[in-house]
Amino acid sequence: NNKETEINVKTDTAGTDKTYLVKEENGAVKVYLCEGDKKELYLITSIPYELLSENDQNMFEEGVTIDTDEDLGKFLENFDS
């Protein structure tokens, strides 16, 4: 049973090269949808960038890549005030 579950998890996102890039830009934390070489604005979050810790600010300056919609939701929840 465990093997089946692992396969399902892996094939869930197979065939899509979409990733999400969460990055600070002009004091706002924005989410971009990246597909191949294309990058388009997906969402402007309400995360209060200036109130984040220095570590979190650095992380968003670098940019965070997230693979799935579900993971993106969980990730953003952590920063939602």
Side-chain angles (χ1 to χ4, degrees):
N1 268 353
N2 286 347
K3 284 183 183 172
E4 282 178 31
T5 308
E6 284 173 27
I7 291 169
N8 288 341
V9 169
K10 285 179 185 165
T11 54
D12 194 21
T13 53
T16 61
D17 289 333
K18 287 183 184 171
T19 58
Y20 298 94
L21 175 66
V22 186
K23 193 167 171 44
E24 178 271 333
E25 203 170 82
N26 302 325
V29 178
K30 300 180 181 182
V31 181
Y32 291 91
L33 180 60
C34 304
E35 200 172 355
D37 293 337
K38 289 188 298 189
K39 183 175 101 170
E40 62 179 276
L41 184 61
Y42 178 75
L43 175 73
I44 299 174
T45 71
S46 57
I47 296 169
Y49 177 76
E50 66 280 355
L51 300 180
L52 294 173
S53 70
E54 195 176 328
N55 280 345
D56 287 342
Q57 287 187 358
N58 290 338
M59 177 181 70
F60 284 123
E61 281 173 26
E62 295 284 318
V64 181
T65 301
I66 297 173
D67 293 328
T68 67
D69 200 36
E70 190 182 343
D71 287 345
L72 177 65
K74 287 178 189 168
F75 179 79
L76 293 178
E77 264 176 33
N78 291 329
F79 294 98
D80 213 4
S81 49

